[in-house]
Amino acid sequence: MPDLLDVIARRASRYAFAADPLPDDVLETLFEAARWAPSYGNRQPWRFVVARAPHVLAAVQATLTRGNQYARRAPVLVAMAADPNDGQIREGREYYLLDCGMALENLLLQAVALGVQAHPLGGFDEDGVRAALAIPAQVRVLALIALGYPADPATLDEDTRERDARPRRRKPPEEVRAFDTWAWRESPD
Ligand SMILES: Cc1cc2nc3c(=O)[nH]c(=O)nc-3n(C[C@H](O)[C@H](O)[C@H](O)COP(=O)(O)O)c2cc1C
């Protein structure tokens, strides 16, 4: 049983995808992990639409921004979507977004445990994804997730290889947590 923090720290957004398809049981395990995420009022607003039939996948690939062309090599692109009018906004707090974020992270961590490479993407044309997957107009497409097995980064173009090799950075703990009071004062000037 891998240590949970080790799984969390090993999750990374990598760029090189192998062409090998993902078996159905592997895909289902990823969604099973997402399904167990907590959500406001247990409303479970997340919906995952899998693009893998060649013509559907091609239509979703066509929505990727210029910087996300590497994701064309992933054998599966998943759209994570939710309806904001699903009762998930309370006093302006958009819980459906929080809920979907948690489901996404569950999926990403399960992918690490299965040796699957998963890369979340915000760079896509939302209307294009809706059209490709017959997603209704009121539903927001919050992210695409490129899924597949890892490939050798040597197969990437130079720019993408450089992005892939960048060290992963995080803010130090004191920049993101405080005890008893808000610790981050605006500077006077
Ligand atoms: C909501 C969301 C949108 C993202 N959009 C993109 C994207 O469009 N293209 C991309 O290459 N990476 C994208 N990423 C990946 C982030 O760049 C990445 O998570 C971040 O740099 C931290 O790196 P790590 O995931 O390897 O820890 C996105 C991640 C999230 C959570």
Side-chain angles (χ1 to χ4, degrees):
M1 179 81 171
D3 178 60
L4 181 56
L5 189 55
D6 174 63
V7 174
I8 290 169
R10 277 196 291 124
R11 184 213 54 77
S13 301
R14 298 285 181 220
Y15 294 82
F17 285 91
D20 312 62
L22 285 181
D24 281 355
D25 62 324
V26 169
L27 263 179
E28 290 301 345
T29 305
L30 296 177
F31 297 123
E32 184 63 7
R35 217 167 61 90
W36 281 107
S39 60
Y40 183 94
N42 200 19
R43 303 283 275 271
Q44 306 163 58
W46 46 76
R47 299 290 181 272
F48 296 95
V49 186
V50 181
R52 64 175 179 182
H55 67 288
V56 178
L57 188 58
V60 176
Q61 287 168 341
T63 73
L64 293 167
T65 55
R66 203 153 50 116
N68 282 340
Q69 292 302 305
Y70 67 85
R72 283 176 175 270
R73 297 220 189 142
V76 173
L77 289 171
V78 176
M80 183 179 67
D83 186 342
N85 306 310
D86 202 12
Q88 301 297 316
I89 302 178
R90 285 283 177 278
E91 298 174 14
R93 292 188 298 266
E94 303 193 24
Y95 285 117
Y96 78 100
L97 296 173
L98 193 58
D99 300 341
C100 286
M102 288 191 283
L104 173 60
E105 179 70 347
N106 272 13
L107 186 156
L108 299 179
L109 295 178
Q110 184 63 56
V112 174
L114 292 171
V116 170
Q117 181 161 285
H119 194 139
L121 302 169
F124 57 86
D125 174 60
E126 188 175 1
D127 286 334
V129 174
R130 280 198 200 93
L133 300 174
I135 296 174
Q138 80 278 9
V139 172
R140 297 307 306 268
V141 182
L142 300 173
L144 294 179
I145 311 154
L147 292 176
Y149 288 108
D152 186 345
T155 59
L156 295 169
D157 66 74
E158 201 181 317
D159 281 359
T160 314
R161 198 163 56 241
E162 189 271 319
R163 280 162 79 189
D164 189 69
R166 272 181 214 157
R168 295 174 61 236
R169 294 186 201 286
R170 288 299 186 268
K171 293 175 179 172
E174 58 277 13
E175 270 192 48
V176 297
R177 62 100 180 89
F179 298 97
D180 301 325
T181 188
W182 182 267
W184 304 281
R185 306 274 166 240
E186 300 294 325
S187 66
D189 43 333

